[in-house]
Amino acid sequence: SAGLSNPTVYSLAKDSEGQLFAGTNGGGLYRSTDGGEKWIPTNTGLTDAFILALLVNKSGHMFAGTGNAGLFRSTDRGSTWKPINVGLENTHTHCLGINASGHIFVAVRGGRLYRSTDNGDHWTLASQGLNNNKLYAFATNSAGYLFVGTDKGVFRSTNNGETWTPANEGLPNLLVYHLALDSSGNIFAGTGGGVIRSTDDAKTWKR
């Protein structure tokens, strides 16, 4: 962690060139080109030092979600950043996600999820059925289903975020902080009660 002025890291990302990025708690964004041995600030254009979420798309464009200034995009591998908040009603981000079509999703304070189909230029609300729950995690599978982890369990969308329904059968703890999928399509939920797995697109869950 040499070079990090604030060692509290909220978010991590890696681009196709092997660069590592670390978003910190009040210390801004850092980049490493040597596998994490040394970190250099890369905050040109960022107006918030709280970097809560990071995302890299297939084109190598980077997206940074902040605590108070919303979203920023970099098209030069993280060297410079510009705000992309058209349509967002809240600028405190919680998490970022992307589907196979390149549509980007951002969860913001107040339990709202937004979707962009134009690489972040514009955002529209995509949270019908999420009931203003706190949104902590986002994931998508090869079938195009979307999943979010909330303080009221897992919600699933089969129509690219137009509507969401609860998917909590067998989930013993509804506080879901993290979601991850493996190459077989299994979904893992990091919850307030440990790790839970679903093998059927979140229809059911087991410890």
Side-chain angles (χ1 to χ4, degrees):
S1 62
L4 288 177
S5 64
N6 190 324
T8 303
V9 175
Y10 279 153
S11 51
L12 289 167
K14 175 182 166 183
D15 70 10
S16 60
E17 295 182 350
Q19 296 185 118
L20 302 176
F21 295 84
T24 69
N25 176 25
L29 181 66
Y30 289 79
R31 175 170 55 190
S32 174
T33 59
D34 59 4
E37 294 295 329
K38 297 178 182 178
W39 296 88
I40 300 172
T42 178
N43 295 294
T44 301
L46 290 173
T47 59
D48 191 343
F50 292 85
I51 313 299
L52 306 184
L54 291 169
L55 176 72
V56 183
N57 69 11
K58 292 181 179 178
S59 299
H61 297 170
M62 292 196 63
F63 302 84
T66 69
N68 299 294
L71 286 169
F72 292 79
R73 180 178 61 204
S74 173
T75 58
D76 56 8
R77 304 290 180 178
S79 295
T80 60
W81 298 85
K82 293 183 178 180
I84 49 166
N85 294 312
V86 176
L88 291 181
E89 298 178 17
N90 192 298
T91 55
H92 182 103
T93 61
H94 283 178
C95 66
L96 285 163
I98 191 168
N99 68 9
S101 299
H103 300 166
I104 304 166
F105 295 81
V106 58
V108 302
R109 178 179 287 168
R112 293 188 175 187
L113 186 73
Y114 289 83
R115 178 183 60 214
S116 174
T117 60
D118 57 8
N119 204 41
D121 288 336
H122 303 86
W123 300 89
T124 57
L125 198 61
S127 57
Q128 183 178 341
L130 292 178
N131 304 322
N132 296 323
N133 297 328
K134 293 181 180 179
L135 307 180
Y136 295 119
F138 178 94
T140 182
N141 67 8
S142 59
Y145 294 171
L146 309 180
F147 309 92
V148 291
T150 79
D151 62 337
K152 297 295 188 299
V154 174
F155 287 73
R156 180 179 63 184
S157 174
T158 59
N159 54 13
N160 203 35
E162 292 298 324
T163 58
W164 296 84
T165 56
N168 296 319
E169 184 178 341
L171 197 66
N173 189 296
L174 297 183
L175 188 58
V176 179
Y177 288 118
H178 299 284
L179 292 170
L181 282 82
D182 66 12
S183 59
S184 299
N186 297 316
I187 308 170
F188 299 86
T191 77
V195 178
I196 318 297
R197 181 180 63 188
S198 174
T199 60
D200 54 11
D201 296 330
K203 293 178 183 177
T204 59
W205 297 88
K206 293 182 179 179
R207 288 188 180 275

